Amino acid sequence: MRFWRPATAILCGLLAVAFLPSAASAITGPELNASLSKHAAGLGPASGVLVKNVGTNQELFSLRADTQLVPASNQKLFTTATALVRYGAAATLPTTLRVKPGVAVDPATGVLPGDIYLVGGGDPTLNEAGLQQLAAQIRQLGVTHITGAVRPDEFVFDRLRGSFDSRFKVDFDLAGQLSGLAFEHGRSGSAKRAGKRLDALLRATGITLGAKPRTGRAAVDDPVLATIQSPNMERLAEMTNVPSENFIAEMLVKDLGARFGSKGSTAAGLKVMRKTMSDTIGIKPRLVDGSGLSRGNRTTPRQLVNLLDEVDETPAIAAPFAGSLPRIGHEGTVRKRLRGTAAASRCAAKTGTLIGVSSLSGYCTTPSGARIAFSIVANRVNSGGAKKVEDKLVKAIANYDG
């Protein structure tokens, strides 16, 4: 289980020693149960907790673990796990420049006849640097003039810009518009903006064009002249879970639909997620989006722990998935929590927060080396107060010496 980023390997080693619990702070199984029972009561009746040793399959603590609850951003665990299961950790999402069959650069004149298609592949991270790379690749082919235009193609996805919570209209909670050719986090509007920017970058390299950018559609087998790749799926999962990034989560849902479902839509992607959760994990949460923004999502602490357990026992994705969770006390949405405690060297977890909702699910490694999966989900609470209770629960789990 990989909790540490490579750049902080030395620091992590020091932290592991510095925060190693003393014999006096380590607690036994009965002491853990007593502590969790005491503190979990503070979450109220619309809550559930499950703590499990995934190595021995022993449930260490359970309280209303089968209660259907709104998970908030713990929903992203289903999204990123499905992406890793379906794509694999090393997979990437391409953005390509294509031409129609038979079109080629004239080596004598550098002329490329016709249009050039900027085809989105659902990369949620496409930015200026990526378009610069594409422009440079075209220049390296010896192109000096394109007789047609840049034709941006976003048709890998449908044209709905938001998620379930905004009725699929532009959703300000996503801080960008969903598109198969999303540029600069989808903040630049439609794919037309990406086409205009590529046009400008091509011209900046000395390439002239015969027409202004306009939307177009390439065929899936049209020849590729240039391509760039997104970060791999392991990195995209980390970029989703560490800061709790709604935009990337919803883009991944549509990517799943485009690649493994009927089309690049939220509905198709969710269908892929439901099937993956059912067939691979054996759970059936209610999924209406990928980010957890909607209160229509429902799951239980047991389903979340089952997900954590099954993924942890799947070698190909166990480390990438665990590594996508922010380290408590160090980064992301948990960077200010439980600093200076055993949890800061032993635990990583995904947060969830809406008005009246708080959740925290992840892994701890105990002083004896046991792997513990836990899920805490609370509804109808003051989320700030609930997080204080979560911290007490996680602190106890991190000190468990079973």
Side-chain angles (χ1 to χ4, degrees):
M1 184 179 301
R2 181 178 61 83
F3 289 159
W4 315 112
R5 308 287 177 255
T8 59
I10 295 176
L11 173 62
C12 295
L14 295 173
L15 288 170
V17 174
F19 296 135
L20 187 66
S22 66
S25 64
I27 60 177
T28 65
E31 290 171 328
L32 174 66
N33 192 284
S35 178
L36 296 180
S37 295
K38 174 185 175 182
H39 296 305
L43 294 173
S47 66
V49 181
L50 184 63
V51 182
K52 181 180 179 181
N53 184 323
V54 297
T56 64
N57 206 36
Q58 177 189 7
E59 289 188 6
L60 303 175
F61 180 78
S62 177
L63 177 67
R64 297 183 294 270
D66 295 303
T67 303
Q68 293 283 337
L69 298 163
V70 178
S73 281
N74 269 205
Q75 185 82 353
K76 294 181 177 73
L77 296 175
F78 299 124
T79 305
T80 52
T82 302
L84 288 167
V85 168
R86 288 287 189 155
Y87 279 101
T92 56
L93 303 167
T95 302
T96 58
L97 286 178
R98 296 173 180 264
V99 292
K100 291 301 180 182
V103 173
V105 182
D106 185 331
T109 64
V111 173
L112 181 67
D115 298 321
I116 188 166
Y117 293 81
L118 173 60
V119 182
D123 178 2
T125 70
L126 180 65
N127 57 18
E128 177 86 359
L131 294 186
Q132 288 175 343
Q133 292 178 43
L134 289 172
Q137 289 180 45
I138 294 300
R139 192 71 182 93
Q140 289 168 4
L141 292 175
V143 176
T144 59
H145 178 64
I146 298 170
T147 64
V150 173
R151 305 287 299 274
D153 177 347
E154 64 174 339
F155 291 100
V156 68
F157 287 178
D158 62 16
R159 301 296 294 275
L160 300 178
R161 303 303 183 191
S163 62
F164 181 90
D165 204 42
S166 65
R167 298 183 179 179
F168 305 101
K169 298 177 182 178
V170 175
D171 189 342
F172 294 104
D173 285 326
L174 298 183
Q177 298 182 31
L178 304 178
S179 167
L181 185 57
F183 178 57
E184 298 287 7
H185 201 272
R187 296 187 185 98
S188 300
S190 71
K192 292 180 181 179
R193 174 59 183 160
K196 289 179 179 179
R197 191 64 197 129
L198 179 61
D199 176 274
L201 291 170
L202 288 169
R203 293 177 190 275
T205 69
I207 298 173
T208 59
L209 291 99
K212 294 181 179 180
R214 59 190 189 277
T215 57
R217 189 165 190 170
V220 293
D221 56 352
D222 281 350
V224 175
L225 292 187
T227 185
I228 56 172
Q229 301 290 341
S230 73
N232 64 27
M233 207 56 60
E234 176 176 1
R235 175 62 179 145
L236 289 176
E238 181 182 313
M239 293 171 71
T240 302
N241 287 333
V242 169
S244 202
E245 170 56 64
N246 296 321
F247 177 77
I248 296 179
E250 297 297 349
M251 287 284 288
L252 288 175
V253 173
K254 289 197 172 191
D255 283 317
L256 288 164
R259 175 69 181 274
F260 304 103
S262 58
K263 62 179 180 177
S265 69
T266 298
L270 290 173
K271 187 175 181 179
V272 173
M273 287 175 59
R274 293 185 193 102
K275 181 172 176 56
T276 303
M277 291 299 102
S278 178
D279 293 353
T280 305
I281 312 298
I283 59 176
K284 294 183 178 181
R286 184 186 182 203
L287 311 174
V288 303
D289 69 14
S291 61
L293 286 170
S294 175
R295 296 173 186 274
N297 297 302
R298 291 290 188 280
T299 190
T300 70
R302 188 177 306 281
Q303 289 176 339
L304 285 161
V305 167
N306 284 348
L307 171 70
L308 293 166
D309 187 358
E310 290 297 323
V311 170
D312 194 59
E313 295 180 2
T314 306
I317 63 170
F321 182 75
S324 78
L325 306 182
R327 297 172 296 133
I328 289 179
H330 293 279
E331 62 188 346
T333 55
V334 291
R335 66 187 179 280
K336 295 182 179 180
R337 297 174 66 172
L338 291 168
R339 288 178 174 176
T341 71
S345 64
R346 300 191 183 283
C347 304
K350 179 74 197 74
T351 57
T353 309
L354 293 170
I355 295 174
V357 178
S358 185
S359 57
L360 188 70
S361 300
Y363 302 102
C364 287
T365 300
T366 70
S368 62
R371 290 181 175 178
I372 307 298
F374 66 88
S375 179
I376 308 161
V377 186
N379 291 182
R380 301 206 300 271
V381 292
N382 173 285
S383 59
K387 292 187 187 308
K388 293 179 181 179
V389 175
E390 292 166 2
D391 287 353
K392 293 175 183 178
L393 298 175
V394 173
K395 185 176 180 180
I397 294 168
N399 284 319
Y400 169 58
D401 197 21

